[in-house]
Amino acid sequence: MDKVNKLKIFNDPIYGFITIPNSLIFDLIAHKYFQRLRRISQMGMSYLVYPGAHHTRFHHAMGCMHLMQKAVNVLRFKGVDISEDEENGLLIAILLHDIGHGPFSHAMEHSIVTGISHETISLLFMEYLNVEFNGSLTLAIQMFKGEYPRNFMCQLISSQLDMDRADYLKRDSFYTGVAEGNINAERLITMLNVVDDELVVEEKGIYSVEKFLVARRLMYWQVYLHKTSVVAEQLLMRVLKRAKELTERGMDLKASRALSYFLNNEINNSNFTTDTLAVFAQLDDYDIVSGMKEWQYHDDFVLKNLCDMIINRDLLKVKLKNKKRKLDSVKVHKENLMKRYNISAEEADYFVFTGEISNQAYQLKTQSINILHKSGKIQDIVKASDQLNLKALSKPVTKYYICYPKR
């Protein structure tokens, strides 16, 4: 076999050319577990609201790696000592930070797998790959878990101003066409520095950080927590939940091998073995979509109608309010539905429900974003900024929704 050229270049619509720095990272990207991310949509069901939002976790992971390369170069230029091993650790950790996401990104975690988060599954994938790659991911795993002694490296991977957020805000705003989310990731990265192994932003980057936090808030309300996206994701979770319920009752549902495994087995944190991981790695958006295309003809009223709603984008009506809803309105909608279709209260619950969504652009309590003044003084962005609304951005805002059939 010819020797493969492993220093490939990817063309990204946002950053232009992204280079793969070495053969280890090339081999990780080429691995089937990573290639699966091409079949996992980055924004779940948001394409039902924003038709352009069809980009994948693969795009996002590559973008994060590119931004991490930039961050390492900027910090080295400013005299921060980062060894080649540390750089590799950072690139691998950010590249694989989302490898544990299930189909449509979040719907799995709340339906057919219980009590296990995508972060935990990402870690299981990384530990599996570490064995396959002879321990070369050990440092990356340490950084990913936040256990590496040089804290700024853990912050670059996961904090309130990390490479993950820097990429997804810019990328998601590009693919949805929602201009409010378009942050200047490059400028933010150019303003980074390190003091006492903690990540700081130089004073002249203060407005870029303000814009970043405002963009984050607007993207949550306009895109991630858009009421139609919320109801579509709720319906998807209910499809999977109902499919699992029917399978448990002994009904045979047509599904792919990987999906059948999760429908037929009770998978949780305690029994998620290497074998389970191998089956999970077979699971992507296509399994769920083809499942729903079959199930829309099923005899079960609930499963049939839920699938039909998603496949044909004929979703439930959703109303948002700032105050909690009275239970009376839920009761009325439920009773109407039960009478109309002669279904039980338990079945009606799948179509009439309430919930809440919460948005907090900046969390004062957790790892804060610190500004480095010219004098050497370090201050939290909320104190350093003359923008009064940053304090308001750090308070969670909760809205309440009710969903019910349109007719």
Side-chain angles (χ1 to χ4, degrees):
M1 207 173 101
D2 294 336
K3 194 172 184 307
V4 181
N5 168 23
K6 294 190 174 181
L7 301 180
K8 296 263 184 219
I9 292 172
F10 281 84
N11 195 347
D12 183 77
I14 291 165
Y15 310 120
F17 292 115
I18 292 178
T19 52
I20 295 180
N22 57 52
S23 59
L24 169 62
I25 286 176
F26 175 91
D27 290 338
L28 283 168
I29 291 169
H31 195 281
K32 62 181 180 184
Y33 285 179
F34 188 80
Q35 288 293 318
R36 163 185 167 272
L37 295 181
R38 292 182 185 269
R39 302 186 301 278
I40 304 283
S41 59
Q42 169 73 11
M43 292 180 63
M45 307 301 285
S46 293
Y47 69 89
L48 291 174
V49 183
Y50 298 100
H54 273 292
H55 55 303
T56 66
R57 292 266 157 199
F58 184 90
H59 289 110
H60 167 58
M62 297 299 290
C64 290
M65 182 191 74
H66 173 72
L67 293 183
M68 188 65 88
Q69 284 175 297
K70 279 194 174 308
V72 168
N73 291 338
V74 163
L75 295 175
R76 276 186 180 150
F77 180 73
K78 293 179 182 178
V80 180
D81 182 38
I82 299 171
S83 72
E84 203 176 312
D85 283 348
E86 286 174 325
E87 177 183 13
N88 248 344
L90 285 167
L91 294 177
I92 292 168
I94 200 72
L95 186 71
L96 303 180
H97 77 284
D98 270 347
I99 197 169
H101 266 292
F104 291 105
S105 292
H106 290 281
M108 275 285 292
E109 293 167 61
H110 308 290
S111 48
I112 54 177
V113 180
T114 48
I116 184 161
S117 67
H118 69 267
E119 290 91 353
T120 309
I121 300 173
S122 291
L123 195 55
L124 291 170
F125 270 124
M126 286 165 87
E127 282 162 352
Y128 177 88
L129 290 168
N130 198 26
V131 174
E132 197 173 312
F133 285 86
N134 304 319
S136 48
L137 279 71
T138 306
L139 192 58
I141 290 170
Q142 215 183 339
M143 290 172 173
F144 179 78
K145 288 161 86 171
E147 291 170 357
Y148 194 64
R150 302 189 73 186
N151 196 37
F152 79 91
M153 295 189 176
C154 304
Q155 289 171 318
L156 283 168
I157 297 158
S158 178
S159 66
Q160 295 206 72
L161 185 59
D162 55 28
M163 298 307 105
D164 174 32
R165 290 179 184 191
D167 181 80
Y168 78 62
L169 284 175
K170 199 169 175 62
R171 189 169 299 278
D172 295 351
S173 88
F174 175 87
Y175 280 99
T176 54
V178 175
E180 287 82 352
N182 188 11
I183 57 160
N184 191 341
E186 276 89 344
R187 173 160 171 90
L188 269 171
I189 289 168
T190 309
M191 295 296 123
L192 293 176
N193 210 330
V194 172
V195 176
D196 298 331
D197 268 341
E198 294 287 331
L199 204 60
V200 292
V201 180
E202 289 165 1
E203 191 177 355
K204 55 183 182 283
I206 197 163
Y207 302 117
S208 302
V209 177
E210 287 178 0
K211 167 83 165 64
F212 167 80
L213 292 174
V214 171
R216 188 170 143 77
R217 177 180 180 273
L218 295 175
M219 282 295 282
Y220 267 86
W221 282 138
Q222 264 182 278
V223 180
Y224 310 125
L225 299 175
H226 187 290
K227 63 179 189 172
T228 310
S229 301
V230 169
V231 73
E233 185 146 307
Q234 283 291 332
L235 285 171
L236 183 61
M237 275 152 40
R238 284 168 156 71
V239 163
L240 294 171
K241 200 172 139 219
R242 184 63 171 180
K244 194 161 175 63
E245 225 170 74
L246 295 176
T247 308
E248 280 166 3
R249 288 187 203 163
M251 281 190 204
D252 189 26
L253 294 188
K254 276 190 186 166
S256 68
R257 190 179 298 182
L259 183 52
S260 288
Y261 174 87
F262 284 96
L263 292 176
N264 284 294
N265 294 289
E266 201 52 59
I267 302 298
N268 54 44
N269 218 343
S270 58
N271 64 0
F272 204 99
T273 60
T274 316
D275 291 343
T276 312
L277 194 68
V279 183
F280 185 85
Q282 296 291 315
L283 202 58
D284 55 52
D285 291 7
Y286 296 88
D287 297 77
I288 308 297
V289 172
S290 54
M292 289 193 294
K293 284 174 77 177
E294 274 296 328
W295 302 339
Q296 66 182 331
Y297 304 111
H298 197 275
D299 295 338
D300 180 66
F301 177 88
V302 174
L303 188 64
K304 170 188 163 62
N305 281 287
L306 289 174
C307 292
D308 187 61
M309 283 174 177
I310 297 175
I311 295 287
N312 301 312
R313 202 198 177 280
D314 185 10
L315 308 170
L316 295 171
K317 191 160 185 57
V318 55
K319 284 190 174 171
L320 270 185
K321 280 209 172 155
N322 294 329
K323 283 201 279 291
K324 263 194 174 151
R325 299 195 160 268
K326 293 191 175 76
L327 287 172
D328 298 354
S329 56
V330 179
K331 204 171 148 202
V332 169
H333 288 299
K334 256 181 78 170
E335 281 169 358
N336 287 345
L337 194 65
M338 285 158 68
K339 225 178 277 169
R340 190 146 163 217
Y341 294 106
N342 193 21
I343 57 172
S344 68
E346 177 215 12
E347 288 171 318
D349 280 342
Y350 276 95
F351 303 97
V352 181
F353 51 87
T354 58
E356 59 182 63
I357 47 178
S358 194
N359 186 359
Q360 186 175 8
Y362 182 62
Q363 290 166 329
L364 274 165
K365 302 277 188 289
T366 53
Q367 282 188 331
S368 50
I369 299 174
N370 287 321
I371 302 296
L372 172 66
H373 293 278
K374 287 191 181 72
S375 62
K377 181 180 163 193
I378 292 173
Q379 238 183 344
D380 184 288
I381 179 70
V382 172
K383 290 199 172 73
S385 166
D386 55 8
Q387 175 117 332
L388 295 170
N389 72 353
L390 280 198
K391 199 160 181 98
L393 287 184
S394 62
K395 290 190 173 68
V397 178
T398 303
K399 292 183 181 180
Y400 303 89
Y401 63 83
I402 179 170
C403 301
Y404 55 88
K406 287 172 182 164
R407 45 193 178 273

